[in-house]
Structure formats: C-alpha cells, structure tokens
Amino acid sequence: MARLPLRATTLVLLLLALAAGLATASDDRVHSAPVVVDGHVLLQVRGIAAVPADSRADSISDALIEAADNPEIDPDDASLVTRDDGGVELRFGGQRVATLFAVDAALEDVPLDILAGATVQRMQRVIVEYREARTPERLLRSTGLLVAFTAAAALLLWLVLALLGAVIRLVERRIKGQIERLEQASHWMIHRRQMWAIFGGITRALRLVAVVAIVLTWASTVLGLYPWTRHLAMSIFALVLDPLHQLGSGLLNSIPDIAFLAVLVFVVRLLLRGLHTFFKRVESGWIRLENFEADWAMPTYRIVRVAVIVLALVVAYPYIPGSESQAFKGIGIFMGVILSIGSTSFISNLLAGYSLTYRAAYREGDRVRIGDQSGEVVDIRAMNTRLRTLKNEEINIPNSIVLNSAIVNYSAYARQDGLVLYTEVGIGYDTPWRQVEAMLKMAAERTPGIMREPPAYVLQKRLGDFTVIYELNAHCDNVAQMNQHYSDLHANIQDVFNEYGVQIMSPNYEHDPEQPKLVRPEDFYTAPAKPPAADPSPLA
C-alpha cells in the first residue's frame, strides 16, 4: 500500500510529459512536414490546424506510391494544372498526385511554378527508381549483396577482435613489470588489481566501440539494399549519433558553468581544510578559546562544515547543468519529500547527539549509568552512544533516548576527590554503636583500592523497629574497579563482624536466634576455600 502513491505520481508525471510532447509535436506537424518515399525527401509542405502538415505529406506519399504501383501510368505522362484558388495540381496519367500552394513555395523561397516543375521531375525519378527497386532482378542482386556484406562484416569483426586481443596481450606484457614497480613505489597504496581493473575496463570499452561501429555500418548498408527498409538505413546512425551530439553540445555550452563549479569546489575544499586544522588545534589545546571546551571542537567543526557545504550548494545551484529543467526541479522536490518523511528519527538522534556534546554530560572513558544500562563510554557519535559493560558487552543507545534519560556519571568527580562507595548493614540495639562504627571503618581499611584520605566514615541512617541501619562511606579512585571494590568491602565487613562476634541482622529481623548467626574464625576457609599462604589469624 505504501508504494501506490508513488506509482500514481509516476504515472501522472509520465502522462503529463507525454501530453506535453504530443502537443509540441502536434504544433510542429501543423507548420510543415516532409514528403518521403523510399527514404527520398521530395519537398516540404505546409499545414493548417484543420489539415496538419504531416497528414498532407502522408496523402501525397500514398498517392505517388499508388501511381508508381500502377504499371499503366507512364512517368513521362506528367502535367501541371492551375486551379482557381491559385493552387497547382501535379498529375500523372491524368491522376492527381499532389496540389501545391504558394505557402509551400514560400518554404523553399521560390515561385510556385518553379517549385511545381522541380517537384514533377523529382517525382518522375522517384517513380522510376521505385519500380526498378522492386524488380526481381534488383531484389535478387540485393539479396546477394546482403550475403556478401554479412560475410564481410563477420570477417571484419573477427579480424578486429583478434587484432585488439593481440594488441592487448602485447600491452599487458609490456606494462606488467611497470605496474608491479608502481605498486612497490606507492607502498602498496596502488594495487595491481585496481590497475588491471582500469586496464580491463578500457579494453572492454574498445571492444564495445569496435563491435558497435561494425554492426551499425553493416545494418545501415544492408537495410539500404531494400526499398522497404531504406528509411531505417538513413536514420540508424542518427539513433546513436544524435544523443552523442546533444551531449557534446550541452557539455560545450556548459563549460563556463563547469569552470565556475570547479573553482567553487576548490575554494570550499581549501576553506574546509583550514577550518579542520583550526578546530584540530583547538581540540589539542594549541589554541584556547574562552568559554569553549576542547571536546566541543570537532562536533563544532562538523556543524560548520555542513553549513559551508549547504551555502556552497546554494551558490552552485544555478550553475549546475540542467538545473533549470523541470525534470531537475521535480527530482529535487521528490528527494526533499522522501528525506523529510524518512529522516524524522535520524534528525532527532542527530540533534540529541549534538545537545549531549555541548551539555558535556560525559566523555569517552567515563563510567556511567544511562537509564537501566551501566558501563564505560567507549564511543560518542552524532547518532548514538556506545557503552561497554562489566560483562564485556557492547550496548548501542540512540542519543534521543540518552537525552530523555537520567545520566549518572561515576567518573566526573572521581578524577579529583574520588568516588564514594556506600553500603548499609542492620545491627541490633544491644551492640554499641561506637563498636559498629569502628568495625565498619576497619573493614574499609582492609579493602584494597579504598583511599586512606579522605578516611571512611559511618552514618546512622535510621533507627528501625529492631535494628539500627548504619551506612559505611569510603572513597576509591579507580572507578573502573568499583564493582570489585564493593565485593571486597562486603567480604571484609562479614569477616570483621564475625571476628568480633557481632551478628548482622539486616535486611529483615524477626527474633533473636538461640545461637548467634556467626562464622567462627576457624571456619573462614572451609573447603573448598583455601587460605592464603601466610594468613595470620585475625584474633591472634
């Protein structure tokens, strides 16, 4: 269903173009048309809206062919009869073939009587040639020539292809060593396969040109042997050469515009190269701009580059060959509609990406949490942000989602003051709070990766119904290892509380058990756990 409007639009455009072409052709046929018999143009005749010129030309051709097909009509039995309306009738054997008027003579810029006399002589020759071309002897000779020309064309085609093949093989042997040396001299920036691909394309083009030239020459020759196909022989080369002529003429007429476009491209490339160098130096810190972050340099360059290219396209548009044609404008409108329909999400992600860049919410290498996803930022692009999780998974998040999500950056302040790790435990009211704080700080001191300065501290978060909730806060400077630090910290908390016989009662507490839920020191390394090589007893 989505393609129906496109097909309907295409059909409407084709019908409009066809109607315009038919209208133009109709206007041309009204003015003048040639009278053609067996590929011979006899004269041009005028027409009016009621009787178009091509209709008059066809009727004259049909009448002349009818006279030529009638063996009783002698070509020399021709006469001119002047009519009361000023026209002159051309008759053969008393049969009217054509009527000429002063407007017809005006096309040749000659008097009407001179045009009529010359036309009669042409028609006499055409009738004679028409009858001779259709005699059995002439047709038999034409058939013999057809066979001879076909054999000659096939032989010539074989010789040309064989000669081209020999020349190509000779050239290949001569340039093979040079291509290898060129590959080595360019440090393999230019590969032999590329050079051979170019050479192969040139050879295929030469073969195609040779085959097309021979086939067209053969077709034009053999079609001209028979009267029924002689008009095709006269136009077969025009089918190929006329488009090439139009292309060549258009190219020559467009040389000033092409020169302007070449200069514009050179200037724009030079400007973009200068802008790229400038922003690269801003990014590296060689150039400092007030209130401008170095991380903004390349995104800003991309925005400026797009603006420069769009401005260059606006300037270049009037000089593009064919830009004034309706087809070019129609294609431009069509592409604009397609882009506007299909680029909604693209534009939203692009704008969100640049918004995030200038907000400086994170940078590459930061440990962040975006919505429900956590990981290290490995790439920030205009369309999406890539994260690498602790499980070594890659997550691609569209920037439009990032823009609408809460972002937690663990690395932003950790570079200066360290990241605060925090965890909670619930301890009963019968345990002195000073002892609990001391044990929690001892667990933090035993944990590798926890900073000694600033020291760890403990907060009593709330007084529950059965337990006091303590929160241990400790700083670490290696954000990438924060999960490992959490694991080590929790292990040390369990060890310290077991060593001092204090029961951890969180998260839920119902009643005091008969025996405290503790792990004895001698059971710390119950199989299959293995103690370190030298692990002094914590209570020794």
Side-chain angles (χ1 to χ4, degrees), residues 222-425:
V222 299
L223 290 176
L225 296 174
Y226 297 96
W228 302 282
T229 57
R230 191 167 296 152
H231 64 285
L232 295 176
M234 300 178 64
S235 61
I236 191 168
F237 276 102
L239 295 176
V240 178
L241 297 180
D242 284 353
L244 294 178
H245 179 265
Q246 293 179 3
L247 289 175
S249 300
L251 182 61
L252 290 176
N253 295 332
S254 301
I255 286 179
D257 294 339
I258 294 174
F260 176 83
L261 293 176
V263 173
L264 180 63
V265 169
F266 174 77
V267 172
V268 171
R269 284 177 60 89
L270 191 63
L271 177 61
L272 292 178
R273 185 172 300 178
L275 290 173
H276 183 267
T277 302
F278 172 77
F279 284 106
K280 268 293 185 182
R281 293 186 177 182
V282 172
E283 183 184 39
S284 62
W286 290 7
I287 299 177
R288 296 182 180 275
L289 300 177
E290 187 177 358
N291 298 326
F292 190 89
E293 297 286 342
D295 294 339
W296 300 349
M298 295 316 296
T300 305
Y301 164 71
R302 297 188 188 100
I303 296 175
V304 174
R305 181 179 63 180
V306 172
V308 170
I309 292 175
V310 170
L311 180 61
L313 289 176
V314 171
V315 174
Y317 181 84
Y319 298 92
I320 298 176
S323 60
E324 298 300 326
S325 65
Q326 296 299 324
F328 190 94
K329 296 177 181 178
I331 291 175
I333 295 174
F334 175 74
M335 293 302 297
V337 172
I338 293 297
L339 290 175
S340 63
I341 293 175
S343 62
T344 304
S345 60
F346 175 86
I347 296 299
S348 64
N349 284 323
L350 186 65
L351 295 178
Y354 281 104
S355 176
L356 290 171
T357 298
Y358 290 105
R359 285 171 56 187
Y362 49 79
R363 64 181 63 178
E364 291 185 10
D366 286 356
R367 179 74 59 178
V368 299
R369 186 175 75 243
I370 301 174
D372 297 331
Q373 307 296 336
S374 298
E376 178 186 352
V377 180
V378 295
D379 192 13
I380 304 173
R381 298 185 179 181
M383 302 294 298
N384 64 297
T385 297
R386 292 195 300 128
L387 302 182
R388 183 173 61 191
T389 67
L390 295 174
K391 307 298 184 183
N392 209 27
E393 301 167 333
E394 182 181 282
I395 302 176
N396 275 286
I397 307 177
N399 284 332
S400 58
I401 295 178
V402 177
L403 187 63
N404 296 318
S405 301
I407 303 173
V408 179
N409 192 332
Y410 298 106
S411 303
Y413 296 109
R415 300 184 183 94
Q416 299 174 354
D417 303 326
L419 177 68
V420 178
L421 305 182
Y422 56 93
T423 186
E424 296 180 352
V425 293

Side-chain angles (χ1 to χ4, degrees), residues 91-146:
R91 299 184 178 183
F92 286 90
Q95 178 179 333
R96 184 179 67 85
V97 174
T99 302
L100 301 181
F101 299 94
V103 292
D104 300 321
L107 291 175
E108 303 288 345
D109 197 19
V110 294
L112 178 59
D113 56 346
I114 296 177
L115 175 64
T119 302
V120 166
Q121 295 178 2
R122 293 179 192 171
M123 289 182 174
Q124 288 174 334
R125 291 195 299 270
V126 167
I127 292 175
V128 174
E129 293 177 359
Y130 181 90
R131 292 175 178 176
E132 289 181 353
R134 288 162 175 75
T135 60
E137 296 82 4
R138 182 69 174 270
L139 294 176
L140 183 61
R141 187 178 67 177
S142 297
T143 303
L145 291 175
L146 171 63

Side-chain angles (χ1 to χ4, degrees), residues 171-218:
V171 173
E172 286 178 352
R173 288 195 298 269
R174 292 290 182 86
I175 68 174
K176 182 177 182 181
Q178 298 179 3
I179 290 179
E180 293 178 354
R181 288 192 295 271
L182 178 61
E183 183 183 43
Q184 297 174 1
S186 65
H187 300 286
W188 283 269
M189 294 181 62
I190 301 176
H191 296 281
R192 278 179 290 180
R193 291 183 180 179
Q194 297 175 344
M195 299 299 295
W196 284 120
I198 296 173
F199 182 73
I202 295 174
T203 57
R204 287 192 294 272
L206 290 176
R207 289 194 184 98
L208 179 62
V209 171
V211 170
V212 170
I214 294 174
V215 170
L216 287 180
T217 304
W218 169 82

Side-chain angles (χ1 to χ4, degrees), residues 24 37 42 44 69 99 102 212 328 377 400 462 517 521 524 528:
T24 303
V37 176
L42 301 181
Q44 296 279 341
D69 287 332
T99 302
V212 170
F328 190 94
V377 180
S400 58
R462 63 183 179 274
K517 301 299 183 180
F524 280 3

